[in-house]
Amino acid sequence: VYRAAQRDTGDVKAIKVLRRRFSENKGQRDQFLREGKMGIALQHPNIVPIHKVASEGNYHYLIMNFVEGRNLREFLKVRKKLSPVEALRLTADLLDGLSYAFELGVTHRDLKLSNALVSSRGLAQLVDFGLAVAVGNISDDTLDKIPNPRTIDYAGLERATGVRKDDVRSDIYFLG
């Protein structure tokens, strides 16, 4: 992920580029582009918005908002612990974004500390819907045809608890 400024406006954006070694792999490339399409469809204050999905030759990239801050893993490493009020506020932000995605029929399937960003102003946002699955309003032929694996943690939880694959409760559990 690179920080970039648009030449004519000076707007700062993040450019997420698929690594060259993955761009040759159709499955990796399709999953990356699928993440971008999913991100464009998810427009909510607590989800980092993706503005453009592009491919130029073997270069595939997403243009999204740049979040001045850090991921939740780094945030907690620096802070060591959070006050109950701050923890609840960050959790509420992430739940708002997740709830919005659920309303559209999207489950994240890869929630972890590094996929939650905390801006320098204290806003928490979800990122990286690369393993998400759309079972509602935003699914289209392209999204439905691309395989969407889930992390091994999700698979293990679903097997151990007997919940169906892509159940929203798995996302809620991992957010907790």
Side-chain angles (χ1 to χ4, degrees), residues 75-145:
F75 187 80
L76 289 170
K77 190 175 182 180
V78 169
R79 298 295 273 310
K80 304 291 186 224
K81 75 184 220 181
L82 303 175
S83 72
V85 170
E86 188 173 30
L88 286 171
R89 185 181 45 73
L90 294 174
T91 302
D93 283 353
L94 297 173
L95 282 170
D96 281 347
L98 204 55
S99 176
Y100 168 79
F102 291 167
E103 288 171 14
L104 294 177
V106 174
T107 55
H108 191 285
R109 299 164 43 127
D110 193 21
L111 282 177
K112 54 190 175 187
L113 293 173
S114 59
N115 285 339
L117 303 182
V118 181
S119 75
S120 57
R121 295 183 179 184
L123 178 69
Q125 294 180 293
L126 296 168
V127 69
D128 196 355
F129 279 79
L131 299 181
V133 64
V135 294
N137 309 1
I138 69 168
S139 63
D140 66 305
D141 289 339
T142 305
L143 290 177
D144 290 339
K145 289 178 186 171

Side-chain angles (χ1 to χ4, degrees), residues 102 111 154 157-158 161 163-175:
F102 291 167
L111 282 177
Y154 272 67
L157 173 70
E158 290 163 356
T161 61
V163 301
R164 65 178 171 73
K165 181 180 170 187
D166 307 328
D167 191 304
V168 298
R169 292 176 293 176
S170 297
D171 277 347
I172 293 167
Y173 174 84
F174 280 98
L175 182 67

